[in-house]
Amino acid sequence: MKTASHKKIAVFPGSFDPITIGHADIVKRALPLFDEIIVAIGVNSVKQSLFPLEQRMDWIRKVFHGESKVKVESYEGLTVNFCEKKHANYLLRGIRSSADFEYEKTIAHLNHDMLPQIETILILARPELSSISSTIVREIIRGKGKVEKFVPRSIAKDFK
Ligand code: ADP
């Protein structure tokens, strides 16, 4: 059994408003790399979410039900402070486009400056999932369209 300090713990931060099949795919593909993945919802007082925090957390819990390596948490403030508190040395992010890459590169460098032991692991979106974003899903919901196929099957009925 690995002790806390030897465990490979990654934080996957985001708004998950709501979680999509793109997010779920990144977590699933990252599972073999880590002992634990904390899907962490950053609570931002300025950025207004469509869905309440508890609802977003519940959906993520449902999606990863039975997957003991995945934990769901929320945090306020800087992501690196949360990582330090959780003894997580890895930050996981998904890349859909070159715009994502440029953004993630800047953030990864800043995070590394603030917390040198943090290593950002970027996983490329699968081509067929790379157009899916929570923003698009929210737009479709606002327009009263169907989003079932963009959210994981285990929670799709909540979007009917
Ligand atoms: P944020 O509010 O920080 O942008 P999101 O909840 O939108 O957070 O996304 C969290 C992470 O998931 C980000 O790294 C984002 O690039 C990644 N992501 C979002 N959608 C997809 C997708 N379709 N495929 C791969 N990664 C994705």
Side-chain angles (χ1 to χ4, degrees):
M1 175 114 165
K2 290 183 181 173
T3 60
S5 57
H6 291 110
K7 262 175 127 182
K8 282 208 198 96
I9 305 174
V11 166
F12 183 41
S15 314
F16 305 100
D17 186 29
I19 184 169
T20 69
I21 51 175
H23 294 128
D25 187 62
I26 294 294
V27 173
K28 273 185 219 135
R29 289 164 58 206
L31 273 174
L33 305 176
F34 302 106
D35 298 307
E36 186 176 312
I37 297 178
I38 305 173
V39 181
I41 301 186
V43 180
N44 185 330
S45 48
V46 183
K47 211 165 139 187
Q48 186 66 43
S49 64
L50 179 61
F51 297 106
L53 176 64
E54 265 314 312
Q55 172 73 84
R56 285 179 279 156
M57 292 181 77
D58 263 3
W59 278 327
I60 304 170
R61 280 189 206 106
K62 262 193 199 142
V63 170
F64 297 105
H65 178 78
E67 181 44 78
S68 58
K69 280 185 175 183
V70 177
K71 306 272 184 286
V72 184
E73 301 212 21
S74 67
Y75 68 98
E76 278 178 54
L78 289 177
T79 306
V80 282
N81 291 344
F82 178 72
C83 291
E84 200 170 22
K85 196 171 107 194
K86 293 288 156 182
H87 307 288
N89 286 342
Y90 303 92
L91 253 174
L92 177 64
R93 296 284 287 177
I95 299 283
R96 289 160 292 188
S97 62
S98 49
D100 269 1
F101 173 74
E102 289 301 328
Y103 176 75
E104 294 300 339
K105 185 172 79 166
T106 310
I107 303 289
H109 289 158
L110 281 173
N111 284 336
H112 190 265
D113 276 348
M114 289 188 281
L115 188 66
Q117 70 262 35
I118 207 88
E119 198 64 73
T120 299
I121 307 295
L122 300 176
I123 295 193
L124 293 181
R126 295 234 181 264
E128 67 273 22
L129 301 178
S130 62
S131 308
I132 300 171
S133 67
S134 297
T135 309
I136 298 289
V137 169
R138 290 195 303 273
E139 281 307 309
I140 299 173
I141 292 170
R142 286 198 187 98
K144 310 248 185 286
K146 284 187 172 98
V147 294
E148 288 108 288
K149 63 177 177 207
F150 302 125
V151 297
R153 201 169 293 162
S154 50
I155 62 169
K157 66 169 177 12
D158 291 359
F159 294 85
K160 277 194 175 151

